[in-house]
Amino acid sequence: MVRAIRGATQIDSNDREAILLGVAELVTEVMERNRLTTDDVISVFFTSTPDLTAEFPALAARKLGFNDVPLICASEIDVPGALPRVVRLMAHVELDRPREDIQHVYLRGAVALRVDIAQ
């Protein structure tokens, strides 16, 4: 079955290393909590708020070994009052588990985005 896993994290600053570290932490948590390998991942869609421009979030996944997984980045719409410096992801994966077993991952300040499902 194909399942979608959501996640987000708030990045400390619009700095290349901060983006890479924050996204690497998010991707690693998604993979570990859902007991995934890169072979399970079909694709990952990353978005970032317009105030994060120093690096592509997908580069962090590439550095973690997502070499043959299709990755794409886009910018979130600039909603007034939205939480700043946020990277979101939606990973499409092949899993033989029910939807309720999926662990969505919200880290740092991004926990406020989905307190209903954040661990």
Side-chain angles (χ1 to χ4, degrees), residues 6-30:
R6 289 294 316 270
T9 190
Q10 190 172 39
I11 307 298
D12 292 335
S13 63
N14 185 29
D15 171 80
R16 181 177 191 270
E17 284 305 310
I19 292 169
L20 292 175
L21 287 171
V23 175
E25 177 187 37
L26 175 62
V27 170
T28 299
E29 284 292 317
V30 167

mmCIF file with all atom_site columns, all heavy atoms in Angstrom, residues 6-30:
data_model
loop_
_atom_site.group_PDB
_atom_site.id
_atom_site.type_symbol
_atom_site.label_atom_id
_atom_site.label_alt_id
_atom_site.label_comp_id
_atom_site.label_asym_id
_atom_site.label_entity_id
_atom_site.label_seq_id
_atom_site.pdbx_PDB_ins_code
_atom_site.Cartn_x
_atom_site.Cartn_y
_atom_site.Cartn_z
_atom_site.occupancy
_atom_site.B_iso_or_equiv
_atom_site.pdbx_formal_charge
_atom_site.auth_seq_id
_atom_site.auth_comp_id
_atom_site.auth_asym_id
_atom_site.auth_atom_id
_atom_site.pdbx_PDB_model_num
ATOM 1   N N   . ARG A 1 6  ? 3.447  12.790 7.053  1.00 0.00 ? 6  ARG A N   1
ATOM 2   C CA  . ARG A 1 6  ? 3.682  14.225 7.161  1.00 0.00 ? 6  ARG A CA  1
ATOM 3   C C   . ARG A 1 6  ? 4.669  14.523 8.268  1.00 0.00 ? 6  ARG A C   1
ATOM 4   O O   . ARG A 1 6  ? 4.790  13.768 9.224  1.00 0.00 ? 6  ARG A O   1
ATOM 5   C CB  . ARG A 1 6  ? 2.365  14.954 7.472  1.00 0.00 ? 6  ARG A CB  1
ATOM 6   C CG  . ARG A 1 6  ? 1.363  14.999 6.351  1.00 0.00 ? 6  ARG A CG  1
ATOM 7   C CD  . ARG A 1 6  ? 1.821  15.827 5.154  1.00 0.00 ? 6  ARG A CD  1
ATOM 8   N NE  . ARG A 1 6  ? 2.436  17.093 5.540  1.00 0.00 ? 6  ARG A NE  1
ATOM 9   C CZ  . ARG A 1 6  ? 1.786  18.231 5.704  1.00 0.00 ? 6  ARG A CZ  1
ATOM 10  N NH1 . ARG A 1 6  ? 0.486  18.298 5.542  1.00 0.00 ? 6  ARG A NH1 1
ATOM 11  N NH2 . ARG A 1 6  ? 2.429  19.336 6.054  1.00 0.00 ? 6  ARG A NH2 1
ATOM 12  N N   . GLY A 1 7  ? 5.335  15.651 8.115  1.00 0.00 ? 7  GLY A N   1
ATOM 13  C CA  . GLY A 1 7  ? 6.244  16.101 9.147  1.00 0.00 ? 7  GLY A CA  1
ATOM 14  C C   . GLY A 1 7  ? 6.589  17.556 8.946  1.00 0.00 ? 7  GLY A C   1
ATOM 15  O O   . GLY A 1 7  ? 6.394  18.113 7.863  1.00 0.00 ? 7  GLY A O   1
ATOM 16  N N   . ALA A 1 8  ? 7.099  18.175 10.003 1.00 0.00 ? 8  ALA A N   1
ATOM 17  C CA  . ALA A 1 8  ? 7.528  19.568 9.924  1.00 0.00 ? 8  ALA A CA  1
ATOM 18  C C   . ALA A 1 8  ? 8.478  19.860 11.073 1.00 0.00 ? 8  ALA A C   1
ATOM 19  O O   . ALA A 1 8  ? 8.450  19.199 12.112 1.00 0.00 ? 8  ALA A O   1
ATOM 20  C CB  . ALA A 1 8  ? 6.328  20.511 9.982  1.00 0.00 ? 8  ALA A CB  1
ATOM 21  N N   . THR A 1 9  ? 9.291  20.866 10.850 1.00 0.00 ? 9  THR A N   1
ATOM 22  C CA  . THR A 1 9  ? 10.178 21.351 11.899 1.00 0.00 ? 9  THR A CA  1
ATOM 23  C C   . THR A 1 9  ? 10.376 22.844 11.721 1.00 0.00 ? 9  THR A C   1
ATOM 24  O O   . THR A 1 9  ? 10.253 23.370 10.606 1.00 0.00 ? 9  THR A O   1
ATOM 25  C CB  . THR A 1 9  ? 11.534 20.622 11.892 1.00 0.00 ? 9  THR A CB  1
ATOM 26  O OG1 . THR A 1 9  ? 12.271 20.961 13.070 1.00 0.00 ? 9  THR A OG1 1
ATOM 27  C CG2 . THR A 1 9  ? 12.367 20.937 10.663 1.00 0.00 ? 9  THR A CG2 1
ATOM 28  N N   . GLN A 1 10 ? 10.667 23.509 12.806 1.00 0.00 ? 10 GLN A N   1
ATOM 29  C CA  . GLN A 1 10 ? 10.995 24.923 12.738 1.00 0.00 ? 10 GLN A CA  1
ATOM 30  C C   . GLN A 1 10 ? 12.509 25.048 12.786 1.00 0.00 ? 10 GLN A C   1
ATOM 31  O O   . GLN A 1 10 ? 13.172 24.457 13.650 1.00 0.00 ? 10 GLN A O   1
ATOM 32  C CB  . GLN A 1 10 ? 10.346 25.697 13.879 1.00 0.00 ? 10 GLN A CB  1
ATOM 33  C CG  . GLN A 1 10 ? 10.471 27.200 13.712 1.00 0.00 ? 10 GLN A CG  1
ATOM 34  C CD  . GLN A 1 10 ? 9.663  27.964 14.736 1.00 0.00 ? 10 GLN A CD  1
ATOM 35  O OE1 . GLN A 1 10 ? 9.595  27.584 15.901 1.00 0.00 ? 10 GLN A OE1 1
ATOM 36  N NE2 . GLN A 1 10 ? 9.063  29.065 14.314 1.00 0.00 ? 10 GLN A NE2 1
ATOM 37  N N   . ILE A 1 11 ? 13.056 25.810 11.854 1.00 0.00 ? 11 ILE A N   1
ATOM 38  C CA  . ILE A 1 11 ? 14.500 26.004 11.725 1.00 0.00 ? 11 ILE A CA  1
ATOM 39  C C   . ILE A 1 11 ? 14.903 27.254 12.511 1.00 0.00 ? 11 ILE A C   1
ATOM 40  O O   . ILE A 1 11 ? 14.182 28.256 12.523 1.00 0.00 ? 11 ILE A O   1
ATOM 41  C CB  . ILE A 1 11 ? 14.880 26.153 10.231 1.00 0.00 ? 11 ILE A CB  1
ATOM 42  C CG1 . ILE A 1 11 ? 14.338 24.984 9.396  1.00 0.00 ? 11 ILE A CG1 1
ATOM 43  C CG2 . ILE A 1 11 ? 16.383 26.316 10.071 1.00 0.00 ? 11 ILE A CG2 1
ATOM 44  C CD1 . ILE A 1 11 ? 14.854 23.619 9.768  1.00 0.00 ? 11 ILE A CD1 1
ATOM 45  N N   . ASP A 1 12 ? 16.061 27.200 13.152 1.00 0.00 ? 12 ASP A N   1
ATOM 46  C CA  . ASP A 1 12 ? 16.503 28.300 14.008 1.00 0.00 ? 12 ASP A CA  1
ATOM 47  C C   . ASP A 1 12 ? 16.741 29.607 13.252 1.00 0.00 ? 12 ASP A C   1
ATOM 48  O O   . ASP A 1 12 ? 16.446 30.679 13.757 1.00 0.00 ? 12 ASP A O   1
ATOM 49  C CB  . ASP A 1 12 ? 17.780 27.924 14.757 1.00 0.00 ? 12 ASP A CB  1
ATOM 50  C CG  . ASP A 1 12 ? 17.537 26.831 15.792 1.00 0.00 ? 12 ASP A CG  1
ATOM 51  O OD1 . ASP A 1 12 ? 16.386 26.703 16.273 1.00 0.00 ? 12 ASP A OD1 1
ATOM 52  O OD2 . ASP A 1 12 ? 18.492 26.104 16.113 1.00 0.00 ? 12 ASP A OD2 1
ATOM 53  N N   . SER A 1 13 ? 17.316 29.498 12.034 1.00 0.00 ? 13 SER A N   1
ATOM 54  C CA  . SER A 1 13 ? 17.629 30.721 11.288 1.00 0.00 ? 13 SER A CA  1
ATOM 55  C C   . SER A 1 13 ? 17.742 30.390 9.802  1.00 0.00 ? 13 SER A C   1
ATOM 56  O O   . SER A 1 13 ? 17.880 29.221 9.419  1.00 0.00 ? 13 SER A O   1
ATOM 57  C CB  . SER A 1 13 ? 18.942 31.334 11.777 1.00 0.00 ? 13 SER A CB  1
ATOM 58  O OG  . SER A 1 13 ? 20.022 30.447 11.544 1.00 0.00 ? 13 SER A OG  1
ATOM 59  N N   . ASN A 1 14 ? 17.687 31.410 8.969  1.00 0.00 ? 14 ASN A N   1
ATOM 60  C CA  . ASN A 1 14 ? 17.847 31.235 7.531  1.00 0.00 ? 14 ASN A CA  1
ATOM 61  C C   . ASN A 1 14 ? 19.334 31.112 7.209  1.00 0.00 ? 14 ASN A C   1
ATOM 62  O O   . ASN A 1 14 ? 19.949 31.992 6.630  1.00 0.00 ? 14 ASN A O   1
ATOM 63  C CB  . ASN A 1 14 ? 17.220 32.400 6.762  1.00 0.00 ? 14 ASN A CB  1
ATOM 64  C CG  . ASN A 1 14 ? 17.272 32.169 5.265  1.00 0.00 ? 14 ASN A CG  1
ATOM 65  O OD1 . ASN A 1 14 ? 17.264 31.035 4.799  1.00 0.00 ? 14 ASN A OD1 1
ATOM 66  N ND2 . ASN A 1 14 ? 17.335 33.247 4.505  1.00 0.00 ? 14 ASN A ND2 1
ATOM 67  N N   . ASP A 1 15 ? 19.883 30.005 7.617  1.00 0.00 ? 15 ASP A N   1
ATOM 68  C CA  . ASP A 1 15 ? 21.300 29.705 7.475  1.00 0.00 ? 15 ASP A CA  1
ATOM 69  C C   . ASP A 1 15 ? 21.415 28.315 6.865  1.00 0.00 ? 15 ASP A C   1
ATOM 70  O O   . ASP A 1 15 ? 20.680 27.401 7.259  1.00 0.00 ? 15 ASP A O   1
ATOM 71  C CB  . ASP A 1 15 ? 21.945 29.754 8.872  1.00 0.00 ? 15 ASP A CB  1
ATOM 72  C CG  . ASP A 1 15 ? 23.356 29.255 8.869  1.00 0.00 ? 15 ASP A CG  1
ATOM 73  O OD1 . ASP A 1 15 ? 24.258 30.016 8.488  1.00 0.00 ? 15 ASP A OD1 1
ATOM 74  O OD2 . ASP A 1 15 ? 23.554 28.067 9.249  1.00 0.00 ? 15 ASP A OD2 1
ATOM 75  N N   . ARG A 1 16 ? 22.320 28.138 5.922  1.00 0.00 ? 16 ARG A N   1
ATOM 76  C CA  . ARG A 1 16 ? 22.460 26.859 5.222  1.00 0.00 ? 16 ARG A CA  1
ATOM 77  C C   . ARG A 1 16 ? 22.615 25.687 6.187  1.00 0.00 ? 16 ARG A C   1
ATOM 78  O O   . ARG A 1 16 ? 21.929 24.687 6.088  1.00 0.00 ? 16 ARG A O   1
ATOM 79  C CB  . ARG A 1 16 ? 23.653 26.922 4.263  1.00 0.00 ? 16 ARG A CB  1
ATOM 80  C CG  . ARG A 1 16 ? 23.854 25.655 3.471  1.00 0.00 ? 16 ARG A CG  1
ATOM 81  C CD  . ARG A 1 16 ? 25.025 25.810 2.484  1.00 0.00 ? 16 ARG A CD  1
ATOM 82  N NE  . ARG A 1 16 ? 25.037 24.698 1.572  1.00 0.00 ? 16 ARG A NE  1
ATOM 83  C CZ  . ARG A 1 16 ? 25.698 23.566 1.770  1.00 0.00 ? 16 ARG A CZ  1
ATOM 84  N NH1 . ARG A 1 16 ? 26.407 23.395 2.876  1.00 0.00 ? 16 ARG A NH1 1
ATOM 85  N NH2 . ARG A 1 16 ? 25.650 22.585 0.883  1.00 0.00 ? 16 ARG A NH2 1
ATOM 86  N N   . GLU A 1 17 ? 23.531 25.789 7.119  1.00 0.00 ? 17 GLU A N   1
ATOM 87  C CA  . GLU A 1 17 ? 23.770 24.691 8.050  1.00 0.00 ? 17 GLU A CA  1
ATOM 88  C C   . GLU A 1 17 ? 22.574 24.440 8.963  1.00 0.00 ? 17 GLU A C   1
ATOM 89  O O   . GLU A 1 17 ? 22.254 23.297 9.271  1.00 0.00 ? 17 GLU A O   1
ATOM 90  C CB  . GLU A 1 17 ? 25.038 24.939 8.875  1.00 0.00 ? 17 GLU A CB  1
ATOM 91  C CG  . GLU A 1 17 ? 26.313 24.706 8.099  1.00 0.00 ? 17 GLU A CG  1
ATOM 92  C CD  . GLU A 1 17 ? 26.396 23.319 7.459  1.00 0.00 ? 17 GLU A CD  1
ATOM 93  O OE1 . GLU A 1 17 ? 26.159 22.304 8.154  1.00 0.00 ? 17 GLU A OE1 1
ATOM 94  O OE2 . GLU A 1 17 ? 26.665 23.244 6.250  1.00 0.00 ? 17 GLU A OE2 1
ATOM 95  N N   . ALA A 1 18 ? 21.911 25.506 9.386  1.00 0.00 ? 18 ALA A N   1
ATOM 96  C CA  . ALA A 1 18 ? 20.733 25.333 10.239 1.00 0.00 ? 18 ALA A CA  1
ATOM 97  C C   . ALA A 1 18 ? 19.628 24.587 9.487  1.00 0.00 ? 18 ALA A C   1
ATOM 98  O O   . ALA A 1 18 ? 18.964 23.710 10.043 1.00 0.00 ? 18 ALA A O   1
ATOM 99  C CB  . ALA A 1 18 ? 20.226 26.693 10.721 1.00 0.00 ? 18 ALA A CB  1
ATOM 100 N N   . ILE A 1 19 ? 19.445 24.904 8.219  1.00 0.00 ? 19 ILE A N   1
ATOM 101 C CA  . ILE A 1 19 ? 18.433 24.224 7.404  1.00 0.00 ? 19 ILE A CA  1
ATOM 102 C C   . ILE A 1 19 ? 18.811 22.755 7.229  1.00 0.00 ? 19 ILE A C   1
ATOM 103 O O   . ILE A 1 19 ? 17.984 21.860 7.439  1.00 0.00 ? 19 ILE A O   1
ATOM 104 C CB  . ILE A 1 19 ? 18.248 24.930 6.048  1.00 0.00 ? 19 ILE A CB  1
ATOM 105 C CG1 . ILE A 1 19 ? 17.613 26.312 6.267  1.00 0.00 ? 19 ILE A CG1 1
ATOM 106 C CG2 . ILE A 1 19 ? 17.400 24.082 5.095  1.00 0.00 ? 19 ILE A CG2 1
ATOM 107 C CD1 . ILE A 1 19 ? 17.619 27.207 5.044  1.00 0.00 ? 19 ILE A CD1 1
ATOM 108 N N   . LEU A 1 20 ? 20.061 22.498 6.855  1.00 0.00 ? 20 LEU A N   1
ATOM 109 C CA  . LEU A 1 20 ? 20.488 21.115 6.639  1.00 0.00 ? 20 LEU A CA  1
ATOM 110 C C   . LEU A 1 20 ? 20.374 20.281 7.914  1.00 0.00 ? 20 LEU A C   1
ATOM 111 O O   . LEU A 1 20 ? 19.905 19.143 7.883  1.00 0.00 ? 20 LEU A O   1
ATOM 112 C CB  . LEU A 1 20 ? 21.915 21.076 6.092  1.00 0.00 ? 20 LEU A CB  1
ATOM 113 C CG  . LEU A 1 20 ? 22.088 21.613 4.668  1.00 0.00 ? 20 LEU A CG  1
ATOM 114 C CD1 . LEU A 1 20 ? 23.563 21.642 4.286  1.00 0.00 ? 20 LEU A CD1 1
ATOM 115 C CD2 . LEU A 1 20 ? 21.271 20.814 3.666  1.00 0.00 ? 20 LEU A CD2 1
ATOM 116 N N   . LEU A 1 21 ? 20.778 20.838 9.049  1.00 0.00 ? 21 LEU A N   1
ATOM 117 C CA  . LEU A 1 21 ? 20.689 20.108 10.318 1.00 0.00 ? 21 LEU A CA  1
ATOM 118 C C   . LEU A 1 21 ? 19.242 19.855 10.726 1.00 0.00 ? 21 LEU A C   1
ATOM 119 O O   . LEU A 1 21 ? 18.884 18.760 11.149 1.00 0.00 ? 21 LEU A O   1
ATOM 120 C CB  . LEU A 1 21 ? 21.423 20.861 11.424 1.00 0.00 ? 21 LEU A CB  1
ATOM 121 C CG  . LEU A 1 21 ? 22.948 20.832 11.360 1.00 0.00 ? 21 LEU A CG  1
ATOM 122 C CD1 . LEU A 1 21 ? 23.545 21.792 12.386 1.00 0.00 ? 21 LEU A CD1 1
ATOM 123 C CD2 . LEU A 1 21 ? 23.471 19.428 11.578 1.00 0.00 ? 21 LEU A CD2 1
ATOM 124 N N   . GLY A 1 22 ? 18.413 20.871 10.616 1.00 0.00 ? 22 GLY A N   1
ATOM 125 C CA  . GLY A 1 22 ? 17.021 20.724 11.002 1.00 0.00 ? 22 GLY A CA  1
ATOM 126 C C   . GLY A 1 22 ? 16.268 19.726 10.136 1.00 0.00 ? 22 GLY A C   1
ATOM 127 O O   . GLY A 1 22 ? 15.502 18.896 10.645 1.00 0.00 ? 22 GLY A O   1
ATOM 128 N N   . VAL A 1 23 ? 16.495 19.785 8.834  1.00 0.00 ? 23 VAL A N   1
ATOM 129 C CA  . VAL A 1 23 ? 15.817 18.856 7.929  1.00 0.00 ? 23 VAL A CA  1
ATOM 130 C C   . VAL A 1 23 ? 16.364 17.438 8.109  1.00 0.00 ? 23 VAL A C   1
ATOM 131 O O   . VAL A 1 23 ? 15.600 16.470 8.093  1.00 0.00 ? 23 VAL A O   1
ATOM 132 C CB  . VAL A 1 23 ? 15.922 19.328 6.462  1.00 0.00 ? 23 VAL A CB  1
ATOM 133 C CG1 . VAL A 1 23 ? 15.328 18.295 5.515  1.00 0.00 ? 23 VAL A CG1 1
ATOM 134 C CG2 . VAL A 1 23 ? 15.227 20.672 6.289  1.00 0.00 ? 23 VAL A CG2 1
ATOM 135 N N   . ALA A 1 24 ? 17.652 17.305 8.319  1.00 0.00 ? 24 ALA A N   1
ATOM 136 C CA  . ALA A 1 24 ? 18.218 15.974 8.571  1.00 0.00 ? 24 ALA A CA  1
ATOM 137 C C   . ALA A 1 24 ? 17.607 15.361 9.826  1.00 0.00 ? 24 ALA A C   1
ATOM 138 O O   . ALA A 1 24 ? 17.266 14.167 9.842  1.00 0.00 ? 24 ALA A O   1
ATOM 139 C CB  . ALA A 1 24 ? 19.738 16.057 8.707  1.00 0.00 ? 24 ALA A CB  1
ATOM 140 N N   . GLU A 1 25 ? 17.433 16.161 10.867 1.00 0.00 ? 25 GLU A N   1
ATOM 141 C CA  . GLU A 1 25 ? 16.795 15.671 12.086 1.00 0.00 ? 25 GLU A CA  1
ATOM 142 C C   . GLU A 1 25 ? 15.362 15.213 11.791 1.00 0.00 ? 25 GLU A C   1
ATOM 143 O O   . GLU A 1 25 ? 14.931 14.139 12.232 1.00 0.00 ? 25 GLU A O   1
ATOM 144 C CB  . GLU A 1 25 ? 16.785 16.767 13.154 1.00 0.00 ? 25 GLU A CB  1
ATOM 145 C CG  . GLU A 1 25 ? 16.072 16.352 14.425 1.00 0.00 ? 25 GLU A CG  1
ATOM 146 C CD  . GLU A 1 25 ? 15.926 17.495 15.424 1.00 0.00 ? 25 GLU A CD  1
ATOM 147 O OE1 . GLU A 1 25 ? 15.698 18.656 14.997 1.00 0.00 ? 25 GLU A OE1 1
ATOM 148 O OE2 . GLU A 1 25 ? 16.009 17.209 16.620 1.00 0.00 ? 25 GLU A OE2 1
ATOM 149 N N   . LEU A 1 26 ? 14.616 16.002 11.031 1.00 0.00 ? 26 LEU A N   1
ATOM 150 C CA  . LEU A 1 26 ? 13.231 15.662 10.699 1.00 0.00 ? 26 LEU A CA  1
ATOM 151 C C   . LEU A 1 26 ? 13.152 14.379 9.885  1.00 0.00 ? 26 LEU A C   1
ATOM 152 O O   . LEU A 1 26 ? 12.391 13.464 10.219 1.00 0.00 ? 26 LEU A O   1
ATOM 153 C CB  . LEU A 1 26 ? 12.580 16.818 9.932  1.00 0.00 ? 26 LEU A CB  1
ATOM 154 C CG  . LEU A 1 26 ? 11.165 16.568 9.416  1.00 0.00 ? 26 LEU A CG  1
ATOM 155 C CD1 . LEU A 1 26 ? 10.196 16.314 10.575 1.00 0.00 ? 26 LEU A CD1 1
ATOM 156 C CD2 . LEU A 1 26 ? 10.712 17.750 8.569  1.00 0.00 ? 26 LEU A CD2 1
ATOM 157 N N   . VAL A 1 27 ? 13.941 14.285 8.833  1.00 0.00 ? 27 VAL A N   1
ATOM 158 C CA  . VAL A 1 27 ? 13.916 13.093 7.975  1.00 0.00 ? 27 VAL A CA  1
ATOM 159 C C   . VAL A 1 27 ? 14.320 11.857 8.777  1.00 0.00 ? 27 VAL A C   1
ATOM 160 O O   . VAL A 1 27 ? 13.692 10.796 8.662  1.00 0.00 ? 27 VAL A O   1
ATOM 161 C CB  . VAL A 1 27 ? 14.824 13.296 6.741  1.00 0.00 ? 27 VAL A CB  1
ATOM 162 C CG1 . VAL A 1 27 ? 14.997 11.998 5.970  1.00 0.00 ? 27 VAL A CG1 1
ATOM 163 C CG2 . VAL A 1 27 ? 14.250 14.382 5.840  1.00 0.00 ? 27 VAL A CG2 1
ATOM 164 N N   . THR A 1 28 ? 15.346 11.976 9.591  1.00 0.00 ? 28 THR A N   1
ATOM 165 C CA  . THR A 1 28 ? 15.804 10.847 10.407 1.00 0.00 ? 28 THR A CA  1
ATOM 166 C C   . THR A 1 28 ? 14.700 10.386 11.356 1.00 0.00 ? 28 THR A C   1
ATOM 167 O O   . THR A 1 28 ? 14.458 9.182  11.503 1.00 0.00 ? 28 THR A O   1
ATOM 168 C CB  . THR A 1 28 ? 17.075 11.233 11.189 1.00 0.00 ? 28 THR A CB  1
ATOM 169 O OG1 . THR A 1 28 ? 18.101 11.563 10.238 1.00 0.00 ? 28 THR A OG1 1
ATOM 170 C CG2 . THR A 1 28 ? 17.552 10.097 12.076 1.00 0.00 ? 28 THR A CG2 1
ATOM 171 N N   . GLU A 1 29 ? 14.019 11.319 11.997 1.00 0.00 ? 29 GLU A N   1
ATOM 172 C CA  . GLU A 1 29 ? 12.927 10.965 12.915 1.00 0.00 ? 29 GLU A CA  1
ATOM 173 C C   . GLU A 1 29 ? 11.780 10.274 12.181 1.00 0.00 ? 29 GLU A C   1
ATOM 174 O O   . GLU A 1 29 ? 11.225 9.295  12.676 1.00 0.00 ? 29 GLU A O   1
ATOM 175 C CB  . GLU A 1 29 ? 12.410 12.201 13.643 1.00 0.00 ? 29 GLU A CB  1
ATOM 176 C CG  . GLU A 1 29 ? 13.314 12.683 14.742 1.00 0.00 ? 29 GLU A CG  1
ATOM 177 C CD  . GLU A 1 29 ? 13.380 11.717 15.921 1.00 0.00 ? 29 GLU A CD  1
ATOM 178 O OE1 . GLU A 1 29 ? 12.346 11.185 16.350 1.00 0.00 ? 29 GLU A OE1 1
ATOM 179 O OE2 . GLU A 1 29 ? 14.498 11.484 16.404 1.00 0.00 ? 29 GLU A OE2 1
ATOM 180 N N   . VAL A 1 30 ? 11.422 10.782 11.007 1.00 0.00 ? 30 VAL A N   1
ATOM 181 C CA  . VAL A 1 30 ? 10.355 10.148 10.217 1.00 0.00 ? 30 VAL A CA  1
ATOM 182 C C   . VAL A 1 30 ? 10.739 8.709  9.885  1.00 0.00 ? 30 VAL A C   1
ATOM 183 O O   . VAL A 1 30 ? 9.937  7.779  10.043 1.00 0.00 ? 30 VAL A O   1
ATOM 184 C CB  . VAL A 1 30 ? 10.058 10.953 8.938  1.00 0.00 ? 30 VAL A CB  1
ATOM 185 C CG1 . VAL A 1 30 ? 9.205  10.146 7.965  1.00 0.00 ? 30 VAL A CG1 1
ATOM 186 C CG2 . VAL A 1 30 ? 9.373  12.267 9.275  1.00 0.00 ? 30 VAL A CG2 1
#
